Amino acid sequence: MVQKLDTLIETPSQTAGPYVHIGCIPTFAGVEGIYPEDLGKRAIEDGAKGERITITGSVYDGTGWALRDAMMETWQPDAAGKFPGEAGADPKVNGFCRFAADGESGVFTLETVKPGRVPARGGGTQAPHIAVWIVARGINIGLLTRIYFEDEDNEGDPVLSRIEQRHRVDTLIAKKTGEGRYHFDIRLQGENETVFLDL
Amino acid sequence: MTDQGPLIPRNRAIHPPAYDVAYKTAVTRSPNLPLLSMESTPTEENGPTFGHSTLGPLDNNLILNYTQGKSPAVGERILVHGRVLDENARPVPNTLVEIWQANAGGRYRHKKDTYFAPLDPNFGGCGRTLTDENGYYQFLTIRPGAYPWPNRANDWRPMHIHFSIFGHAFGQRLISQMYFEGDPLIDRCPIAATIKDRSQLDRLVAPLDMSAARPMDFLAYKFDIVLRGRRQTMFENKIEGM
């Protein structure tokens, strides 16, 4: 017998289910009056420094149908690349945001500031990006991906560099559709499947 | 900024696979291609923090929070409590735990739930709390009922409470479900069965905890949660491959 490790095992994931909004975005479920407002309602507060941007898109299943019941969470640094809580971080940037796609159209909208570059492990920097976590009915463990920007220098980003099939890099890059406006679709399965991350 | 250091890579074998034919919705919502795996970056190693100012006094009391104390929900009164630890067996203090659930009859207060079991006018179904300095949390609620769902023709979810836990890093983010000791529906549930290692599924089944039950008031169930831990970083600055 070898020595026993004293580490624990992570709790297994289960799907968030179709009613995830009750717990995470109660007003979307029609549950009012328990909390003053939904947690993570805004990525930024008025007065946040940097370029204001709006990102819209949909999450598509393997048949091309836009999910109406997904819950998404995003996490990002401020315009200078500092995460909330770091010394010197912009106090108007919450960094965290939670939202669901519109129940009719399946289109989600994220209003935020464009994030700055953040350090990479072992030196260098990562290209500006927003981390996205998606849970829904039928998703057994939350899916992690990232939004990068087509009008930023993405060369040498450590995550994008690791994608072997170079054409798949495109699935992580938001397309500019106007001043301060970007479009980013997520395809869970099949043609142009989004790259999902295990970080 | 919270604890530093890279996260221990997820052991995906203990989690459900994305694709599972018996849980029908997973068939079209599971990526076909492998995940891109690499060491965590500062993006995943940081995460949002929530303070006590976020919380109201009844946020972790689902029996009372929907009516703000005016009238209690109907059902079997229970305390659900436990600890949030990381893989290094250290408590995770001051972290947000959120739960949501159906009422005693198995009906959710959600505009999409059309099951004909009635809503309880005194029950909302969500709660939240912060763990204390030792990682402890507790909720007072009513035991949720089982309910049918459109999968196979006669599928019923076991009694369960959904849990959402943050930890201190976005890469620790976890959503899972707690089941109840002795529920015969656990063995018949395609969602529970997405976890392929039975010993791992058993870790989601909360035992009856008479030591925490309050006589003449509520029963108790104990549910401990483990989040990803961090690797120590003594050799962090070594040249790659050395």
Side-chain angles (χ1 to χ4, degrees), chain A residues 104-126:
Chain A
E104 297 294 319
S105 65
V107 174
F108 68 78
T109 304
L110 170 65
E111 307 219 11
T112 186
V113 291
K114 194 188 261 189
R117 300 181 78 88
V118 295
R121 187 161 293 290
T125 59
Q126 306 185 66

mmCIF file with all atom_site columns, all heavy atoms in Angstrom, chain A residues 104-126:
data_model
loop_
_atom_site.group_PDB
_atom_site.id
_atom_site.type_symbol
_atom_site.label_atom_id
_atom_site.label_alt_id
_atom_site.label_comp_id
_atom_site.label_asym_id
_atom_site.label_entity_id
_atom_site.label_seq_id
_atom_site.pdbx_PDB_ins_code
_atom_site.Cartn_x
_atom_site.Cartn_y
_atom_site.Cartn_z
_atom_site.occupancy
_atom_site.B_iso_or_equiv
_atom_site.pdbx_formal_charge
_atom_site.auth_seq_id
_atom_site.auth_comp_id
_atom_site.auth_asym_id
_atom_site.auth_atom_id
_atom_site.pdbx_PDB_model_num
ATOM 1   N N   . GLU A 1 104 ? -38.177 35.168 -26.944 1.00 0.00 ? 104 GLU A N   1
ATOM 2   C CA  . GLU A 1 104 ? -38.828 35.102 -28.267 1.00 0.00 ? 104 GLU A CA  1
ATOM 3   C C   . GLU A 1 104 ? -37.812 34.885 -29.382 1.00 0.00 ? 104 GLU A C   1
ATOM 4   O O   . GLU A 1 104 ? -37.941 33.977 -30.189 1.00 0.00 ? 104 GLU A O   1
ATOM 5   C CB  . GLU A 1 104 ? -39.584 36.416 -28.535 1.00 0.00 ? 104 GLU A CB  1
ATOM 6   C CG  . GLU A 1 104 ? -40.718 36.703 -27.570 1.00 0.00 ? 104 GLU A CG  1
ATOM 7   C CD  . GLU A 1 104 ? -41.844 35.695 -27.690 1.00 0.00 ? 104 GLU A CD  1
ATOM 8   O OE1 . GLU A 1 104 ? -42.175 35.318 -28.833 1.00 0.00 ? 104 GLU A OE1 1
ATOM 9   O OE2 . GLU A 1 104 ? -42.386 35.273 -26.651 1.00 0.00 ? 104 GLU A OE2 1
ATOM 10  N N   . SER A 1 105 ? -36.782 35.727 -29.413 1.00 0.00 ? 105 SER A N   1
ATOM 11  C CA  . SER A 1 105 ? -35.858 35.721 -30.554 1.00 0.00 ? 105 SER A CA  1
ATOM 12  C C   . SER A 1 105 ? -34.643 34.830 -30.350 1.00 0.00 ? 105 SER A C   1
ATOM 13  O O   . SER A 1 105 ? -33.977 34.454 -31.319 1.00 0.00 ? 105 SER A O   1
ATOM 14  C CB  . SER A 1 105 ? -35.370 37.148 -30.815 1.00 0.00 ? 105 SER A CB  1
ATOM 15  O OG  . SER A 1 105 ? -34.601 37.599 -29.700 1.00 0.00 ? 105 SER A OG  1
ATOM 16  N N   . GLY A 1 106 ? -34.316 34.507 -29.110 1.00 0.00 ? 106 GLY A N   1
ATOM 17  C CA  . GLY A 1 106 ? -33.100 33.751 -28.856 1.00 0.00 ? 106 GLY A CA  1
ATOM 18  C C   . GLY A 1 106 ? -31.828 34.576 -28.965 1.00 0.00 ? 106 GLY A C   1
ATOM 19  O O   . GLY A 1 106 ? -30.736 34.025 -28.985 1.00 0.00 ? 106 GLY A O   1
ATOM 20  N N   . VAL A 1 107 ? -31.957 35.894 -29.001 1.00 0.00 ? 107 VAL A N   1
ATOM 21  C CA  . VAL A 1 107 ? -30.775 36.769 -29.113 1.00 0.00 ? 107 VAL A CA  1
ATOM 22  C C   . VAL A 1 107 ? -30.383 37.276 -27.719 1.00 0.00 ? 107 VAL A C   1
ATOM 23  O O   . VAL A 1 107 ? -31.225 37.754 -26.969 1.00 0.00 ? 107 VAL A O   1
ATOM 24  C CB  . VAL A 1 107 ? -31.064 37.967 -30.043 1.00 0.00 ? 107 VAL A CB  1
ATOM 25  C CG1 . VAL A 1 107 ? -29.892 38.959 -30.040 1.00 0.00 ? 107 VAL A CG1 1
ATOM 26  C CG2 . VAL A 1 107 ? -31.346 37.472 -31.459 1.00 0.00 ? 107 VAL A CG2 1
ATOM 27  N N   . PHE A 1 108 ? -29.089 37.149 -27.399 1.00 0.00 ? 108 PHE A N   1
ATOM 28  C CA  . PHE A 1 108 ? -28.605 37.716 -26.135 1.00 0.00 ? 108 PHE A CA  1
ATOM 29  C C   . PHE A 1 108 ? -27.879 39.025 -26.411 1.00 0.00 ? 108 PHE A C   1
ATOM 30  O O   . PHE A 1 108 ? -27.399 39.265 -27.526 1.00 0.00 ? 108 PHE A O   1
ATOM 31  C CB  . PHE A 1 108 ? -27.692 36.738 -25.389 1.00 0.00 ? 108 PHE A CB  1
ATOM 32  C CG  . PHE A 1 108 ? -26.370 36.473 -26.065 1.00 0.00 ? 108 PHE A CG  1
ATOM 33  C CD1 . PHE A 1 108 ? -25.324 37.385 -25.990 1.00 0.00 ? 108 PHE A CD1 1
ATOM 34  C CD2 . PHE A 1 108 ? -26.170 35.306 -26.793 1.00 0.00 ? 108 PHE A CD2 1
ATOM 35  C CE1 . PHE A 1 108 ? -24.102 37.143 -26.610 1.00 0.00 ? 108 PHE A CE1 1
ATOM 36  C CE2 . PHE A 1 108 ? -24.955 35.055 -27.422 1.00 0.00 ? 108 PHE A CE2 1
ATOM 37  C CZ  . PHE A 1 108 ? -23.925 35.977 -27.334 1.00 0.00 ? 108 PHE A CZ  1
ATOM 38  N N   . THR A 1 109 ? -27.799 39.877 -25.400 1.00 0.00 ? 109 THR A N   1
ATOM 39  C CA  . THR A 1 109 ? -27.114 41.161 -25.508 1.00 0.00 ? 109 THR A CA  1
ATOM 40  C C   . THR A 1 109 ? -26.247 41.361 -24.276 1.00 0.00 ? 109 THR A C   1
ATOM 41  O O   . THR A 1 109 ? -26.721 41.198 -23.150 1.00 0.00 ? 109 THR A O   1
ATOM 42  C CB  . THR A 1 109 ? -28.142 42.315 -25.589 1.00 0.00 ? 109 THR A CB  1
ATOM 43  O OG1 . THR A 1 109 ? -29.018 42.055 -26.695 1.00 0.00 ? 109 THR A OG1 1
ATOM 44  C CG2 . THR A 1 109 ? -27.447 43.656 -25.795 1.00 0.00 ? 109 THR A CG2 1
ATOM 45  N N   . LEU A 1 110 ? -24.983 41.703 -24.491 1.00 0.00 ? 110 LEU A N   1
ATOM 46  C CA  . LEU A 1 110 ? -24.070 42.031 -23.393 1.00 0.00 ? 110 LEU A CA  1
ATOM 47  C C   . LEU A 1 110 ? -23.554 43.451 -23.603 1.00 0.00 ? 110 LEU A C   1
ATOM 48  O O   . LEU A 1 110 ? -22.950 43.745 -24.637 1.00 0.00 ? 110 LEU A O   1
ATOM 49  C CB  . LEU A 1 110 ? -22.890 41.048 -23.359 1.00 0.00 ? 110 LEU A CB  1
ATOM 50  C CG  . LEU A 1 110 ? -21.744 41.425 -22.406 1.00 0.00 ? 110 LEU A CG  1
ATOM 51  C CD1 . LEU A 1 110 ? -22.205 41.412 -20.956 1.00 0.00 ? 110 LEU A CD1 1
ATOM 52  C CD2 . LEU A 1 110 ? -20.548 40.494 -22.594 1.00 0.00 ? 110 LEU A CD2 1
ATOM 53  N N   . GLU A 1 111 ? -23.814 44.316 -22.640 1.00 0.00 ? 111 GLU A N   1
ATOM 54  C CA  . GLU A 1 111 ? -23.296 45.682 -22.697 1.00 0.00 ? 111 GLU A CA  1
ATOM 55  C C   . GLU A 1 111 ? -22.164 45.802 -21.694 1.00 0.00 ? 111 GLU A C   1
ATOM 56  O O   . GLU A 1 111 ? -22.343 45.517 -20.504 1.00 0.00 ? 111 GLU A O   1
ATOM 57  C CB  . GLU A 1 111 ? -24.405 46.675 -22.337 1.00 0.00 ? 111 GLU A CB  1
ATOM 58  C CG  . GLU A 1 111 ? -25.639 46.443 -23.184 1.00 0.00 ? 111 GLU A CG  1
ATOM 59  C CD  . GLU A 1 111 ? -26.303 47.734 -23.608 1.00 0.00 ? 111 GLU A CD  1
ATOM 60  O OE1 . GLU A 1 111 ? -25.709 48.801 -23.424 1.00 0.00 ? 111 GLU A OE1 1
ATOM 61  O OE2 . GLU A 1 111 ? -27.428 47.637 -24.138 1.00 0.00 ? 111 GLU A OE2 1
ATOM 62  N N   . THR A 1 112 ? -20.997 46.238 -22.176 1.00 0.00 ? 112 THR A N   1
ATOM 63  C CA  . THR A 1 112 ? -19.836 46.271 -21.294 1.00 0.00 ? 112 THR A CA  1
ATOM 64  C C   . THR A 1 112 ? -18.799 47.241 -21.846 1.00 0.00 ? 112 THR A C   1
ATOM 65  O O   . THR A 1 112 ? -19.110 48.061 -22.710 1.00 0.00 ? 112 THR A O   1
ATOM 66  C CB  . THR A 1 112 ? -19.266 44.833 -21.125 1.00 0.00 ? 112 THR A CB  1
ATOM 67  O OG1 . THR A 1 112 ? -18.225 44.860 -20.162 1.00 0.00 ? 112 THR A OG1 1
ATOM 68  C CG2 . THR A 1 112 ? -18.754 44.242 -22.425 1.00 0.00 ? 112 THR A CG2 1
ATOM 69  N N   . VAL A 1 113 ? -17.576 47.186 -21.303 1.00 0.00 ? 113 VAL A N   1
ATOM 70  C CA  . VAL A 1 113 ? -16.459 47.907 -21.920 1.00 0.00 ? 113 VAL A CA  1
ATOM 71  C C   . VAL A 1 113 ? -15.521 46.872 -22.520 1.00 0.00 ? 113 VAL A C   1
ATOM 72  O O   . VAL A 1 113 ? -15.449 45.734 -22.043 1.00 0.00 ? 113 VAL A O   1
ATOM 73  C CB  . VAL A 1 113 ? -15.664 48.778 -20.907 1.00 0.00 ? 113 VAL A CB  1
ATOM 74  C CG1 . VAL A 1 113 ? -16.508 49.959 -20.449 1.00 0.00 ? 113 VAL A CG1 1
ATOM 75  C CG2 . VAL A 1 113 ? -15.188 47.949 -19.731 1.00 0.00 ? 113 VAL A CG2 1
ATOM 76  N N   . LYS A 1 114 ? -14.812 47.288 -23.547 1.00 0.00 ? 114 LYS A N   1
ATOM 77  C CA  . LYS A 1 114 ? -13.855 46.348 -24.144 1.00 0.00 ? 114 LYS A CA  1
ATOM 78  C C   . LYS A 1 114 ? -12.719 46.111 -23.147 1.00 0.00 ? 114 LYS A C   1
ATOM 79  O O   . LYS A 1 114 ? -12.147 47.064 -22.616 1.00 0.00 ? 114 LYS A O   1
ATOM 80  C CB  . LYS A 1 114 ? -13.312 46.894 -25.466 1.00 0.00 ? 114 LYS A CB  1
ATOM 81  C CG  . LYS A 1 114 ? -12.607 45.797 -26.249 1.00 0.00 ? 114 LYS A CG  1
ATOM 82  C CD  . LYS A 1 114 ? -11.903 46.364 -27.449 1.00 0.00 ? 114 LYS A CD  1
ATOM 83  C CE  . LYS A 1 114 ? -12.747 46.170 -28.687 1.00 0.00 ? 114 LYS A CE  1
ATOM 84  N NZ  . LYS A 1 114 ? -11.962 46.527 -29.900 1.00 0.00 ? 114 LYS A NZ  1
ATOM 85  N N   . PRO A 1 115 ? -12.425 44.855 -22.842 1.00 0.00 ? 115 PRO A N   1
ATOM 86  C CA  . PRO A 1 115 ? -11.392 44.557 -21.847 1.00 0.00 ? 115 PRO A CA  1
ATOM 87  C C   . PRO A 1 115 ? -9.988  44.829 -22.381 1.00 0.00 ? 115 PRO A C   1
ATOM 88  O O   . PRO A 1 115 ? -9.754  44.750 -23.578 1.00 0.00 ? 115 PRO A O   1
ATOM 89  C CB  . PRO A 1 115 ? -11.585 43.060 -21.586 1.00 0.00 ? 115 PRO A CB  1
ATOM 90  C CG  . PRO A 1 115 ? -12.220 42.529 -22.828 1.00 0.00 ? 115 PRO A CG  1
ATOM 91  C CD  . PRO A 1 115 ? -13.044 43.647 -23.400 1.00 0.00 ? 115 PRO A CD  1
ATOM 92  N N   . GLY A 1 116 ? -9.066  45.148 -21.456 1.00 0.00 ? 116 GLY A N   1
ATOM 93  C CA  . GLY A 1 116 ? -7.660  45.304 -21.826 1.00 0.00 ? 116 GLY A CA  1
ATOM 94  C C   . GLY A 1 116 ? -6.941  43.967 -21.858 1.00 0.00 ? 116 GLY A C   1
ATOM 95  O O   . GLY A 1 116 ? -7.521  42.922 -21.549 1.00 0.00 ? 116 GLY A O   1
ATOM 96  N N   . ARG A 1 117 ? -5.691  44.007 -22.224 1.00 0.00 ? 117 ARG A N   1
ATOM 97  C CA  . ARG A 1 117 ? -4.876  42.782 -22.244 1.00 0.00 ? 117 ARG A CA  1
ATOM 98  C C   . ARG A 1 117 ? -4.539  42.376 -20.814 1.00 0.00 ? 117 ARG A C   1
ATOM 99  O O   . ARG A 1 117 ? -4.311  43.235 -19.953 1.00 0.00 ? 117 ARG A O   1
ATOM 100 C CB  . ARG A 1 117 ? -3.583  43.009 -23.028 1.00 0.00 ? 117 ARG A CB  1
ATOM 101 C CG  . ARG A 1 117 ? -3.803  43.413 -24.476 1.00 0.00 ? 117 ARG A CG  1
ATOM 102 C CD  . ARG A 1 117 ? -2.477  43.599 -25.212 1.00 0.00 ? 117 ARG A CD  1
ATOM 103 N NE  . ARG A 1 117 ? -1.878  42.331 -25.596 1.00 0.00 ? 117 ARG A NE  1
ATOM 104 C CZ  . ARG A 1 117 ? -2.145  41.706 -26.745 1.00 0.00 ? 117 ARG A CZ  1
ATOM 105 N NH1 . ARG A 1 117 ? -2.977  42.227 -27.621 1.00 0.00 ? 117 ARG A NH1 1
ATOM 106 N NH2 . ARG A 1 117 ? -1.563  40.552 -27.018 1.00 0.00 ? 117 ARG A NH2 1
ATOM 107 N N   . VAL A 1 118 ? -4.513  41.092 -20.554 1.00 0.00 ? 118 VAL A N   1
ATOM 108 C CA  . VAL A 1 118 ? -4.144  40.592 -19.230 1.00 0.00 ? 118 VAL A CA  1
ATOM 109 C C   . VAL A 1 118 ? -2.922  39.689 -19.368 1.00 0.00 ? 118 VAL A C   1
ATOM 110 O O   . VAL A 1 118 ? -2.662  39.150 -20.450 1.00 0.00 ? 118 VAL A O   1
ATOM 111 C CB  . VAL A 1 118 ? -5.303  39.820 -18.543 1.00 0.00 ? 118 VAL A CB  1
ATOM 112 C CG1 . VAL A 1 118 ? -6.466  40.756 -18.249 1.00 0.00 ? 118 VAL A CG1 1
ATOM 113 C CG2 . VAL A 1 118 ? -5.766  38.642 -19.369 1.00 0.00 ? 118 VAL A CG2 1
ATOM 114 N N   . PRO A 1 119 ? -2.169  39.515 -18.287 1.00 0.00 ? 119 PRO A N   1
ATOM 115 C CA  . PRO A 1 119 ? -0.957  38.697 -18.373 1.00 0.00 ? 119 PRO A CA  1
ATOM 116 C C   . PRO A 1 119 ? -1.252  37.245 -18.748 1.00 0.00 ? 119 PRO A C   1
ATOM 117 O O   . PRO A 1 119 ? -2.331  36.717 -18.464 1.00 0.00 ? 119 PRO A O   1
ATOM 118 C CB  . PRO A 1 119 ? -0.381  38.760 -16.959 1.00 0.00 ? 119 PRO A CB  1
ATOM 119 C CG  . PRO A 1 119 ? -1.017  39.943 -16.322 1.00 0.00 ? 119 PRO A CG  1
ATOM 120 C CD  . PRO A 1 119 ? -2.354  40.098 -16.962 1.00 0.00 ? 119 PRO A CD  1
ATOM 121 N N   . ALA A 1 120 ? -0.290  36.639 -19.396 1.00 0.00 ? 120 ALA A N   1
ATOM 122 C CA  . ALA A 1 120 ? -0.330  35.199 -19.643 1.00 0.00 ? 120 ALA A CA  1
ATOM 123 C C   . ALA A 1 120 ? 0.580   34.537 -18.616 1.00 0.00 ? 120 ALA A C   1
ATOM 124 O O   . ALA A 1 120 ? 1.439   35.187 -18.024 1.00 0.00 ? 120 ALA A O   1
ATOM 125 C CB  . ALA A 1 120 ? 0.151   34.899 -21.052 1.00 0.00 ? 120 ALA A CB  1
ATOM 126 N N   . ARG A 1 121 ? 0.378   33.274 -18.371 1.00 0.00 ? 121 ARG A N   1
ATOM 127 C CA  . ARG A 1 121 ? 1.253   32.577 -17.431 1.00 0.00 ? 121 ARG A CA  1
ATOM 128 C C   . ARG A 1 121 ? 2.658   32.457 -18.036 1.00 0.00 ? 121 ARG A C   1
ATOM 129 O O   . ARG A 1 121 ? 2.807   32.112 -19.194 1.00 0.00 ? 121 ARG A O   1
ATOM 130 C CB  . ARG A 1 121 ? 0.686   31.188 -17.132 1.00 0.00 ? 121 ARG A CB  1
ATOM 131 C CG  . ARG A 1 121 ? 1.427   30.471 -16.046 1.00 0.00 ? 121 ARG A CG  1
ATOM 132 C CD  . ARG A 1 121 ? 0.612   29.352 -15.447 1.00 0.00 ? 121 ARG A CD  1
ATOM 133 N NE  . ARG A 1 121 ? -0.558  29.864 -14.715 1.00 0.00 ? 121 ARG A NE  1
ATOM 134 C CZ  . ARG A 1 121 ? -0.471  30.530 -13.566 1.00 0.00 ? 121 ARG A CZ  1
ATOM 135 N NH1 . ARG A 1 121 ? 0.683   30.747 -13.001 1.00 0.00 ? 121 ARG A NH1 1
ATOM 136 N NH2 . ARG A 1 121 ? -1.566  30.961 -12.980 1.00 0.00 ? 121 ARG A NH2 1
ATOM 137 N N   . GLY A 1 122 ? 3.659   32.791 -17.241 1.00 0.00 ? 122 GLY A N   1
ATOM 138 C CA  . GLY A 1 122 ? 5.035   32.667 -17.723 1.00 0.00 ? 122 GLY A CA  1
ATOM 139 C C   . GLY A 1 122 ? 5.458   33.819 -18.621 1.00 0.00 ? 122 GLY A C   1
ATOM 140 O O   . GLY A 1 122 ? 6.344   33.663 -19.454 1.00 0.00 ? 122 GLY A O   1
ATOM 141 N N   . GLY A 1 123 ? 4.821   34.990 -18.510 1.00 0.00 ? 123 GLY A N   1
ATOM 142 C CA  . GLY A 1 123 ? 5.227   36.154 -19.291 1.00 0.00 ? 123 GLY A CA  1
ATOM 143 C C   . GLY A 1 123 ? 4.354   36.373 -20.502 1.00 0.00 ? 123 GLY A C   1
ATOM 144 O O   . GLY A 1 123 ? 3.609   35.495 -20.904 1.00 0.00 ? 123 GLY A O   1
ATOM 145 N N   . GLY A 1 124 ? 4.464   37.573 -21.083 1.00 0.00 ? 124 GLY A N   1
ATOM 146 C CA  . GLY A 1 124 ? 3.646   37.912 -22.233 1.00 0.00 ? 124 GLY A CA  1
ATOM 147 C C   . GLY A 1 124 ? 2.240   38.283 -21.806 1.00 0.00 ? 124 GLY A C   1
ATOM 148 O O   . GLY A 1 124 ? 1.923   38.338 -20.613 1.00 0.00 ? 124 GLY A O   1
ATOM 149 N N   . THR A 1 125 ? 1.398   38.560 -22.787 1.00 0.00 ? 125 THR A N   1
ATOM 150 C CA  . THR A 1 125 ? 0.020   38.930 -22.473 1.00 0.00 ? 125 THR A CA  1
ATOM 151 C C   . THR A 1 125 ? -0.953  38.108 -23.311 1.00 0.00 ? 125 THR A C   1
ATOM 152 O O   . THR A 1 125 ? -0.573  37.498 -24.314 1.00 0.00 ? 125 THR A O   1
ATOM 153 C CB  . THR A 1 125 ? -0.254  40.425 -22.766 1.00 0.00 ? 125 THR A CB  1
ATOM 154 O OG1 . THR A 1 125 ? 0.004   40.665 -24.147 1.00 0.00 ? 125 THR A OG1 1
ATOM 155 C CG2 . THR A 1 125 ? 0.595   41.334 -21.891 1.00 0.00 ? 125 THR A CG2 1
ATOM 156 N N   . GLN A 1 126 ? -2.197  38.125 -22.861 1.00 0.00 ? 126 GLN A N   1
ATOM 157 C CA  . GLN A 1 126 ? -3.274  37.517 -23.634 1.00 0.00 ? 126 GLN A CA  1
ATOM 158 C C   . GLN A 1 126 ? -4.015  38.630 -24.375 1.00 0.00 ? 126 GLN A C   1
ATOM 159 O O   . GLN A 1 126 ? -4.167  39.726 -23.853 1.00 0.00 ? 126 GLN A O   1
ATOM 160 C CB  . GLN A 1 126 ? -4.259  36.812 -22.698 1.00 0.00 ? 126 GLN A CB  1
ATOM 161 C CG  . GLN A 1 126 ? -3.620  35.801 -21.755 1.00 0.00 ? 126 GLN A CG  1
ATOM 162 C CD  . GLN A 1 126 ? -4.684  35.075 -20.956 1.00 0.00 ? 126 GLN A CD  1
ATOM 163 O OE1 . GLN A 1 126 ? -5.487  34.325 -21.496 1.00 0.00 ? 126 GLN A OE1 1
ATOM 164 N NE2 . GLN A 1 126 ? -4.716  35.317 -19.653 1.00 0.00 ? 126 GLN A NE2 1
#
